[in-house]
């Protein structure tokens, strides 16, 4: 199946690219965050230097760097929106994060990519809305392009939400990919 929702450490996945939920300056945030873990595994100094050349980027944009110590993995850095109240284009901006990262995936002919559930942690995007947006954008992409996409959820609530939606997603993809 071209989309798999999993509860796993994104750094352990063998994919062409992982998505780093970054800030505008593309600097490491909290060392325990997904971004902090990616910087640590890739090599803080090397990744920081590569990101300095690309920063700043705006919310909804994406850029690509090497994965450095992550092996052959590339890193797509995206800046997700902070949830305010749903009236400040948060949903549109989050959708653009997925679209931009998937466009890079297509342009570089990656065969696999792994996303965390963007903006649903420190940026406080409601998990159910974040998941619906992720699934909508990823589904639209995998209907047109042969790419294996992992959506990595870290907490129990997100995983439970994803299992509720997984059946309908699988049925939709099965009907449209034949």
């Amino acid at each position: 199946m071209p989309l798999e929702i999993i509860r796993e450490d994104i750094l352990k996945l063998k994919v062409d690219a992982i998505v780093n939920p970054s800030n505008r300056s593309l600097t490491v945030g909290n060392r325990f965050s997904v971004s902090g873990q990616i910087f640590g595994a890739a090599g803080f100094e090397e990744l920081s230097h590569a990101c300095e050349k690309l920063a700043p980027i705006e919310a909804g944009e994406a850029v690509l760097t090497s994965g450095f110590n992550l092996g052959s993995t590339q890193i797509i850095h995206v800046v997700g929106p902070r949830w305010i109240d749903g009236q400040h284009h948060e949903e549109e901006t989050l959708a653009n994060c997925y679209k931009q990262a998937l466009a890079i995936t297509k342009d570089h002919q990656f065969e696999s990519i792994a996303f965390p559930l963007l903006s649903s942690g420190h940026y406080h995007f409601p998990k159910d809305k974040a998941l619906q947006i992720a699934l909508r954008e990823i589904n639209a992409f995998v209907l047109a392009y042969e790419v294996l996409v992992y959506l990595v959820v870290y907490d129990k609530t997100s995983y439970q939400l994803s299992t509720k939606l997984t059946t309908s997603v699988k049925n939709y993809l099965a009907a449209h990919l034949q």
Side-chain angles (χ1 to χ4, degrees), residues 117-171:
L117 187 57
L118 298 173
S119 287
S120 67
H122 295 297
Y123 285 7
H124 306 292
F125 211 100
K127 290 182 190 320
D128 59 336
K129 289 183 187 302
L131 185 59
Q132 289 172 357
I133 291 166
L135 292 175
R136 182 184 70 225
E137 297 307 324
I138 293 168
N139 284 337
F141 186 80
V142 299
L143 286 173
Y145 303 99
E146 295 221 10
V147 175
L148 176 57
V149 180
Y150 293 100
L151 181 59
V152 180
V153 293
Y154 290 96
D155 60 88
K156 187 176 179 179
T157 303
S158 296
Y159 191 73
Q160 288 173 337
L161 282 171
S162 71
T163 57
K164 290 178 184 177
L165 294 173
T166 299
T167 302
S168 62
V169 169
K170 284 181 181 178
N171 291 340

